[in-house]
Amino acid sequence: MSLFSKLFGVSEKSELEPVSYKGFEIFPNPMPEGGKYRLLARIEKIIDGDRKTHTVIRADVFESRDQAESFSIAKAKLVIDEQGGRLFGSENR
């Protein structure tokens, strides 16, 4: 079990295929919570041969998993648009 799974109580097997966006990969994986789903996505990018990861988790909860997945992808795209290379500590990548 990965550290991500231990921290957020999410099974990696439940993850969707990644969504490619501006050179980043977005892995939507809403977190079940009280019969609803919390917005959660992981953003990854390979930089200089190293896989960098940033987790987006918000207080937003949704009735359905599909709705939470859709909003998780949208929020991750917004984070990429706003922060770009700064997301992993590098301005020009």
Side-chain angles (χ1 to χ4, degrees):
M1 182 178 279
S2 74
L3 177 60
F4 184 76
S5 297
K6 289 178 187 173
L7 285 175
F8 297 110
V10 203
S11 168
E12 291 180 73
K13 294 178 184 174
S14 67
E15 285 188 14
L16 297 174
E17 290 296 314
V19 173
S20 295
Y21 184 71
K22 295 185 176 182
F24 295 82
E25 288 184 318
I26 300 168
F27 295 83
N29 196 15
M31 181 172 49
E33 185 174 297
K36 297 183 181 183
Y37 295 89
R38 181 171 302 283
L39 186 151
L40 176 67
R42 191 174 72 248
I43 301 170
E44 295 186 357
K45 185 173 185 175
I46 296 177
I47 300 174
D48 297 331
D50 292 325
R51 183 169 292 276
K52 303 293 184 179
T53 303
H54 179 82
T55 301
V56 176
I57 185 168
R58 297 291 185 259
D60 306 298
V61 291
F62 301 91
E63 296 292 327
S64 76
R65 182 174 177 88
D66 288 341
Q67 188 179 28
E69 288 169 356
S70 177
F71 277 91
S72 294
I73 292 167
K75 182 55 116 175
K77 286 180 177 181
L78 183 63
V79 169
I80 291 167
D81 289 342
E82 289 175 348
Q83 297 185 27
R86 294 187 316 264
L87 189 62
F88 302 117
S90 174
E91 184 66 41
N92 55 6
R93 295 182 197 227

